[in-house]
Amino acid sequence: MTVITFRENHALHASRGHPERPARLEAVRDALAADPTLRDLRRLTGAPASREALERVHPPAYLDRLTAACRGGGGSFDVDTYATPHSLQIASETCGDLLAIMDAVCTGEASNGFTISRPPGHHASPERAMGFCLLSTAAIAAKHAQSAHGLRRVLVLDMDVHHGNGTQDALYADPSAMFVSSHQTGLFPGTGAIDEIGAGAGEGFTANLPVPAGTDDAGMLAVYESVLVPLADRFEPELVIVSAGYDAHRLDPLGGLALSVAGMTDLVRVARRIAERHAAGRIVLTLEGGYNPEVLAHSVVSSLRVLLDAGAVPSDPFGPTRQRGPDLTDLIGRLRRRHRLG
Ligand SMILES: [Zn+2]
């Protein structure tokens, strides 16, 4: 069984003219309502994540600063990261919803799920809000899986076009949480180089797969099959968490990759296959970026159909790019050598 979470109050987190805006989820909501297979998906609502759950990643002083900022009416943490008086509540609910799905999946009540929410989380590092993100949602979920469910190996896969620096920071020294991020080279936030592979006991448990602008469906799928899959086979995760960002699409206003909806859906399919092979099918998606609302809506629908095993995904109305992407053979070779994959 597939479960989702969706709340209407995300619209209380908004800033005029900002690309991370309520229209993103409104488009997803409408697309879910229009799809007879998805309309009746089971919906969960979690309690807002507890302070204990948040403190597994964020120090108390950071959470106190965030609380004070929202109580004081909100404001900006940097040029593109804002908070309204409601933002911490909404971000805590996003985390809590994800933890509720994790609980359902880890206890066998559900087989997989998707937290359809905003704001995103993967740029929030333990001590810093940035890149539209306030709480490090995926990392908080990974730590919850370890603490609340005793899992010893959790794979966090980040398919957003931007590097998931916040998740990486939170998990960098943790050998029980493998973090793999595919992203466009040279884009915000500038981190995610091949040589960032973890530290201390966590060395070798972070993998960054930076690809050049223009990378297309076939190129990205080759990177996933040649690097992610063998890394996952070596790690044998008991749970897969996907930071599901859809801004790698060729029509996304913030990214420069050339993937299609079908291509991004294939990446979810690879993640699902890893979960089937190693984790008894346990896979949980949490929404990150994706700033073309129509593309985002189609992508979420398509990913949900993969989770549901709902047969063919709907046709991709935007289609693939007509331009051939860059040759990634050398990059794949470098990545495989860096991670001793032969
Ligand atoms: Zn992004």
Short mmCIF file of all heavy atoms in Angstrom, two decimals, residues 122-123 160-162 247 289 291, ligand 1:
data_model
loop_
_atom_site.label_atom_id
_atom_site.label_comp_id
_atom_site.label_asym_id
_atom_site.label_seq_id
_atom_site.Cartn_x
_atom_site.Cartn_y
_atom_site.Cartn_z
N HIS A 122 16.43 19.99 1.82
CA HIS A 122 17.77 19.41 1.67
C HIS A 122 18.92 20.40 1.72
O HIS A 122 20.07 19.99 1.82
CB HIS A 122 17.84 18.53 0.41
CG HIS A 122 17.82 19.27 -0.88
ND1 HIS A 122 18.45 18.80 -2.02
CD2 HIS A 122 17.25 20.45 -1.24
CE1 HIS A 122 18.26 19.65 -3.01
NE2 HIS A 122 17.52 20.65 -2.57
N HIS A 123 18.64 21.71 1.67
CA HIS A 123 19.73 22.70 1.82
C HIS A 123 19.91 23.15 3.27
O HIS A 123 20.88 23.84 3.58
CB HIS A 123 19.48 23.93 0.96
CG HIS A 123 19.52 23.67 -0.52
ND1 HIS A 123 20.59 23.07 -1.13
CD2 HIS A 123 18.62 23.94 -1.50
CE1 HIS A 123 20.35 22.96 -2.44
NE2 HIS A 123 19.16 23.47 -2.68
N ASP A 160 17.39 15.90 -6.74
CA ASP A 160 17.17 17.31 -7.07
C ASP A 160 18.35 17.83 -7.91
O ASP A 160 19.47 17.35 -7.78
CB ASP A 160 17.07 18.09 -5.75
CG ASP A 160 16.57 19.51 -5.91
OD1 ASP A 160 17.41 20.39 -6.25
OD2 ASP A 160 15.39 19.75 -5.68
N VAL A 161 18.09 18.84 -8.75
CA VAL A 161 19.16 19.37 -9.60
C VAL A 161 20.26 20.07 -8.79
O VAL A 161 21.39 20.23 -9.24
CB VAL A 161 18.60 20.33 -10.68
CG1 VAL A 161 18.25 21.70 -10.08
CG2 VAL A 161 19.56 20.50 -11.84
N HIS A 162 19.90 20.48 -7.56
CA HIS A 162 20.88 21.14 -6.68
C HIS A 162 21.47 20.13 -5.69
O HIS A 162 20.75 19.21 -5.25
CB HIS A 162 20.20 22.27 -5.90
CG HIS A 162 19.54 23.30 -6.77
ND1 HIS A 162 18.18 23.28 -7.04
CD2 HIS A 162 20.06 24.34 -7.44
CE1 HIS A 162 17.90 24.30 -7.85
NE2 HIS A 162 19.02 24.96 -8.11
N ASP A 247 13.52 19.52 -10.28
CA ASP A 247 14.06 20.66 -11.02
C ASP A 247 15.19 20.27 -11.97
O ASP A 247 15.84 21.13 -12.57
CB ASP A 247 14.49 21.79 -10.07
CG ASP A 247 15.20 21.30 -8.84
OD1 ASP A 247 15.54 20.10 -8.78
OD2 ASP A 247 15.42 22.12 -7.92
N GLY A 289 12.76 20.24 -4.64
CA GLY A 289 12.49 21.32 -5.58
C GLY A 289 11.64 20.89 -6.77
O GLY A 289 11.10 19.79 -6.82
N TYR A 291 10.31 23.79 -9.95
CA TYR A 291 9.77 25.15 -9.92
C TYR A 291 8.94 25.50 -11.14
O TYR A 291 8.55 26.65 -11.31
CB TYR A 291 10.92 26.13 -9.66
CG TYR A 291 11.57 25.78 -8.35
CD1 TYR A 291 12.73 25.01 -8.30
CD2 TYR A 291 10.93 26.09 -7.15
CE1 TYR A 291 13.27 24.61 -7.09
CE2 TYR A 291 11.46 25.69 -5.94
CZ TYR A 291 12.62 24.95 -5.92
OH TYR A 291 13.13 24.55 -4.71
ZN ZN B 1 16.59 22.17 -6.29
#
